[in-house]
Amino acid sequence: PQHLHYEELGNVAIITYDRPNCRNAMSPQTYRELVAAVKQANASEAVSAIVLAHKGPVFCSGIDLKAQPEPKDPVTGIRPTVATLGMANDTSWIHLMKRSKPTVAAINGPAIGIGATHVLAIDIRIGTRAASFSFPFLKLGAMPEFGFSALLPQIVGFSAAMDMCLTSANLDAGASLAKGLLSRLTEADDALPEAIALAAEIGKLPLLQVALTRQLIYDNACETDWNAILTREREAFIQLFRAQRAARLAQEAAAG
């Protein structure tokens, strides 16, 4: 990868944006490398959780406006952008995060534009006092992306989400914590060690139970039909019990 660094530390995969010279702005290549790194972590038997981090004082400054335009798709005639890549049906960033192992972000600086929207899909976001979230879309004549219109109201509430969007809000670390954009605020200068330690602890939990719980939260967070909620939970328990029974039978067969 040219735009990020991937490493495995114990049971944790660490994906680090490494473009400090352009404030970790996201280009189509950056996004493709990010997706490939997440898939690599999910495919690794040694990895149980993923940390997203960054080099330099900015987590992500938004879309890389200086990136070389990519050739148009010969079939669709559409030029690939981060938005078209990240919001494609069934293969979107949200779909990838839903299917992923648990994720933790270490944020030591501003998350601006798409830097803010894409990190909202991370399970747990740990920030330092230098962290901030900025939503300048309408002020710039743009619009938010990556499932932002659903994720932000889920996290901060409907009214607060409207306020943030219509005022192109910029929230410091304290306000981000109060609104839920940050899950945790550390007084350390670097959130990465805490993020790695937390991911390692989460990675020790039973993998199937973690996966099923994450899936239930994704599917049921905005569900209003209680029968649908309970049906999904019941089906998840049945899946868990069947897996536990199969494992027990396999152990008994191996022992006998």
Side-chain angles (χ1 to χ4, degrees), residues 101-162:
K101 294 171 181 176
T103 52
V104 181
I107 305 173
N108 302 310
I112 304 168
I114 200 169
T117 58
H118 86 284
V119 81
L120 295 182
I122 300 293
D123 295 333
I124 300 173
R125 297 170 294 280
I126 300 176
T128 65
R129 290 288 174 184
S132 63
F133 283 76
S134 181
F135 308 103
F137 301 100
L138 298 183
K139 182 172 65 177
L140 299 176
M143 290 177 62
E145 66 285 279
F146 275 38
F148 173 88
S149 56
L151 288 174
L152 189 66
Q154 290 176 22
I155 293 170
V156 306
F158 180 89
S159 180
M162 280 292 190

Side-chain angles (χ1 to χ4, degrees), residues 180-241:
L181 299 172
L182 285 177
S183 313
R184 304 184 183 193
L185 184 60
T186 177
E187 295 299 329
D189 294 331
D190 186 357
L192 182 56
E194 186 172 334
I196 294 172
L198 177 60
E201 286 301 310
I202 293 173
K204 296 177 183 177
L205 299 172
L207 297 180
L208 179 57
Q209 286 89 323
V210 168
L212 290 174
T213 298
R214 290 182 74 257
Q215 181 176 329
L216 285 171
I217 292 174
Y218 264 97
D219 290 342
N220 287 342
C222 292
E223 178 65 72
T224 58
D225 183 342
W226 280 104
N227 285 336
I229 292 170
L230 296 174
T231 296
R232 291 190 187 108
E233 290 184 350
R234 183 171 63 252
E235 290 174 349
F237 271 99
I238 291 172
Q239 184 176 342
L240 173 61
F241 294 153

Side-chain angles (χ1 to χ4, degrees), residues 52-122:
L52 182 61
H54 64 103
K55 288 186 177 179
V58 177
F59 177 77
C60 176
S61 61
I63 293 290
D64 186 354
L65 299 177
K66 296 181 180 180
Q68 185 73 22
E70 298 204 348
K72 292 182 179 180
D73 186 295
V75 177
T76 64
I78 298 174
R79 195 181 304 278
T81 66
V82 176
T84 59
L85 294 171
M87 296 193 292
N89 287 349
D90 300 322
T91 61
S92 74
W93 175 245
I94 300 298
H95 286 89
L96 177 62
M97 289 294 94
K98 179 180 177 180
R99 296 189 295 265
S100 177
K101 294 171 181 176
T103 52
V104 181
I107 305 173
N108 302 310
I112 304 168
I114 200 169
T117 58
H118 86 284
V119 81
L120 295 182
I122 300 293

